[in-house]
Amino acid sequence: MAAFLAFVGTAVGASQSLGNLLERDAERSRALHTQTELQQLLRLLIDIETGQRGFIITGQQPFLRPYEEALDDLGRLHTGLRQRLAETGVSTAALQRLDALIEQRLAQIKANIERRLAMGEGVMRDLGAYADGKRVMDELRFEIGELAHEQRQRVTAADLATQQVQQRTTRLMQLLPGAGLVTLALALLLMLRERRLRDRAEQALRNANAGLEQQVAQRTEALSRALARIRSFASELERSIEAERRRLAREVHDQIGQAGTAIKMLVFALRAQLAPRTEPLLDELQTMADEAIRAARQISAALRPPLLDELGLEAALGHYLQTLQRQSGLTTTLALTGAQELAPDQANPLFRITQEACTNVLRHAAATALRVTGHPCLQGGRDGYELEVIDNGRGPGDTRADASGLRGMRERAAMAGGDFDFGPALGGGTRVRVWLPLRTAGQEALDEGEAWV
């Protein structure tokens, strides 16, 4: 009787363990699903942010399409996600904070779009609205990260509870040998039955885990494709900005420069008509015309160096470094080889990164000499082009890795598909290195086709 009762108690405990295993697996599945939806919520918010930013910069309605599509998906996702978060025990205060931040950011974005329609490009000078939007977006990322972290903790707790149930089941099964010879046959039959049940449960768990892993893999692949689309959009946006810079530079040079030249010609004509009399106002007018022509040339060169399009990267960097040396007294050296192998749209990020690096040298390095070198270079078995900016200043010191200048250079290199390094140079000073992969003619045509798509 004691052996029989012991076996019955063991069987009951094992059955309860099976129920606990299934319950914990259901909790784990819900937590993983909720975590995936939180990631999707953040992606939709980023899509809305990207669509709004593209419209504010360009003013073109097609850039609002990602914003409108993501806004529709956000409403449906947010309702179901909020209900699931409440069911998992998330505090009402956390849900209210998330709702308030989402509502606040959507209101800011809607206001920015309305202001863009009303004010035109003038809205881009409102740094306060940009700072408020960034603050709210950072708080949203933090809240979503906290909620995702809580779901990960639930998954970990469910896994730990499953292990404890399995350990408890194993300990109960170890009590069966004490049942005795009288009930040995019955015990063996019941053990075989229990073993089959446990195998089925484990198989069910393995199948469920396999399904969850496949779902996570699919979600990860979808997120990777979304990230690739965002990077493609950012690259296309950068190309659009550079095209607009090129157009503005040409307009400034042609319109203002021609106006200044016309004014000078009028001044010369007036001098000839007034001769031999002199008029001081004509001298002042000629000075203002010269200043207008000089300002037009400076603005045009700052927007888009004409040498970059006409003669390539080496000529543009040479002219820029000569101007830098003349204005600052900094000794500059340029040594580029194989720059003609770069695709036309790769010269611009290299030029902009060099500009930013030289600006940082003037602001922070206290250097007397600066060297820019570039050459084709293999990296990871891929053909590429390496460009370095090295100075003899005080070195990087305690410069933060997320400083705005470094972040901008790193993002430009990433959008071009390359790598960026920042650190001390051999022998002292600071070294900035950027590497971009070289592309064949076929790859350039493929990239252009993807950009149009």
Side-chain angles (χ1 to χ4, degrees), residues 37-108:
E37 289 190 341
L38 284 170
Q39 294 175 353
Q40 186 178 2
L41 176 64
L42 181 59
R43 179 181 64 79
L44 290 175
L45 288 171
I46 293 175
D47 287 346
I48 292 173
E49 184 81 11
T50 303
Q52 172 242 191
R53 188 173 302 167
F55 176 73
I56 288 178
I57 294 175
T58 63
Q60 299 178 6
Q61 289 294 332
F63 284 91
L64 286 178
R65 188 173 302 124
Y67 159 79
E68 295 169 348
E69 294 175 353
L71 192 61
D72 293 338
D73 295 338
L74 180 66
R76 294 189 295 270
L77 176 66
H78 184 209
T79 302
L81 177 60
R82 195 182 191 285
Q83 181 178 357
R84 274 182 284 278
L85 287 173
E87 291 173 354
T88 57
V90 175
S91 65
T92 304
L95 294 177
Q96 290 176 349
R97 286 197 304 272
L98 180 63
D99 294 342
L101 288 172
I102 292 176
E103 182 178 356
Q104 183 179 1
R105 187 55 189 145
L106 291 179
Q108 289 176 341

Side-chain angles (χ1 to χ4, degrees), residues 155-396:
V155 172
T156 302
D159 291 339
L160 180 60
T162 300
Q163 293 177 359
Q164 292 175 351
V165 170
Q166 290 176 343
Q167 292 173 359
R168 185 168 64 251
T169 302
T170 302
R171 287 194 296 268
L172 290 174
M173 295 300 295
Q174 292 173 353
L175 298 176
L176 287 178
L181 295 175
V182 178
T183 57
L184 180 59
L186 181 60
L188 287 175
L189 290 175
L190 292 177
M191 284 177 62
L192 290 174
R193 178 178 177 274
E194 176 62 23
R195 182 60 181 267
R196 285 195 300 270
L197 290 175
R198 191 172 65 177
D199 289 342
R200 292 174 185 172
E202 290 179 353
Q203 183 63 38
L205 287 176
R206 284 194 293 268
N207 293 338
N209 288 334
L212 287 175
E213 290 175 357
Q214 182 180 4
Q215 185 178 5
V216 170
Q218 292 174 351
R219 296 292 186 182
T220 302
E221 183 180 359
L223 289 175
S224 299
R225 290 196 300 267
L227 180 60
R229 289 195 298 270
I230 291 173
R231 287 180 174 174
S232 176
F233 173 77
S235 299
E236 181 63 21
L237 183 60
E238 181 70 17
R239 285 193 289 268
S240 300
I241 292 174
E242 288 301 325
E244 184 66 15
R245 283 173 174 263
R246 189 184 299 112
R247 187 188 68 80
L248 290 176
R250 186 166 55 250
E251 290 294 330
V252 168
H253 182 272
D254 292 346
Q255 300 297 329
I256 301 180
Q258 290 178 5
T261 303
I263 293 173
K264 287 187 65 176
M265 294 176 64
L266 290 175
V267 170
F268 291 150
L270 287 174
R271 285 184 185 277
Q273 292 179 5
L274 293 176
R277 290 183 300 161
T278 61
E279 177 58 53
L281 290 178
L282 291 179
D283 295 335
E284 184 177 351
L285 185 59
Q286 181 176 348
T287 301
M288 293 176 64
D290 292 336
E291 181 65 22
I293 295 172
R294 184 187 63 81
R297 290 174 179 172
Q298 288 182 349
I299 295 173
S300 176
L303 286 172
R304 179 73 179 186
L307 291 178
L308 189 61
D309 297 320
E310 297 171 1
L311 299 178
L313 178 63
E314 185 172 3
L317 284 179
H319 181 268
Y320 172 72
L321 292 178
Q322 289 176 3
T323 304
L324 188 69
Q325 179 172 326
R326 183 174 63 254
Q327 293 177 350
S328 65
L330 188 68
T331 302
T332 62
T333 305
L334 176 66
L336 296 185
T337 58
Q340 67 278 4
E341 299 182 23
L342 290 165
D345 61 341
Q346 291 179 308
N348 182 68
L350 289 178
F351 183 82
R352 297 299 183 189
I353 290 173
T354 303
Q355 272 188 319
E356 183 65 30
C358 293
T359 301
N360 289 340
V361 170
L362 292 178
R363 289 178 178 175
H364 311 295
T368 59
L370 179 144
R371 184 172 75 258
V372 179
T373 62
H375 57 87
C377 173
L378 277 175
Q379 179 172 305
R382 300 174 62 192
D383 291 329
Y385 195 84
E386 179 183 80
L387 186 139
E388 293 182 323
V389 181
I390 302 174
D391 65 73
N392 64 346
R394 61 168 62 100

